[in-house]
């Protein structure tokens, strides 16, 4: 398994603008959590101007597919995004 970090940048006033899409966005996140593909996810705080998602999956097609189906991306809440492969060297997730 590989680790990937998906980073989002949000529009201004995201907390107001995301409301109609939030439930479907969180449903998508939780489906990936249930499958074990997302280990952590959340928006930045003060200011809420983006988010990070930690994926543990076979390859980058999983986070790419997430982006393509995310209601936040499809409805312009996300202004930019990138996926970075991540080498985990410390913490409870390190495989020995």
């Amino acid at each position: 398994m590989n680790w990937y970090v998906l980073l989002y940048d949000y529009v201004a006033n995201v907390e107001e603008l995301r409301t109609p899409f939030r439930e479907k966005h969180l449903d998508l996140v939780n489906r990936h959590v249930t499958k074990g593909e997302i280990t952590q996810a959340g928006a930045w705080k003060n200011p809420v101007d983006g988010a990070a998602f930690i994926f543990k999956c076979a390859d980058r097609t999983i986070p790419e597919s997430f982006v393509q189906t995310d209601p936040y991306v499809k409805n312009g809440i996300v202004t930019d995004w990138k996926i970075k492969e991540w080498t985990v060297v410390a913490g409870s997730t390190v495989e020995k």
Side-chain angles (χ1 to χ4, degrees), residues 17-34:
L17 297 174
R18 71 183 175 189
T19 301
F21 316 108
R22 189 161 172 75
E23 185 177 340
K24 288 184 179 182
H25 167 77
L26 292 175
D27 286 346
L28 176 64
V29 171
N30 287 319
R31 283 197 305 272
H32 284 272
V33 168
T34 299

Side-chain angles (χ1 to χ4, degrees), residues 2 25 46-47 54 77 86:
N2 300 304
H25 167 77
N46 297 325
I54 308 299
I77 302 302
W86 186 29

Side-chain angles (χ1 to χ4, degrees), residues 62-76:
I62 302 297
E64 287 171 350
S65 174
F66 177 91
V67 170
Q68 298 307 317
T69 58
D70 187 354
Y72 281 10
V73 174
K74 293 167 96 174
N75 291 284

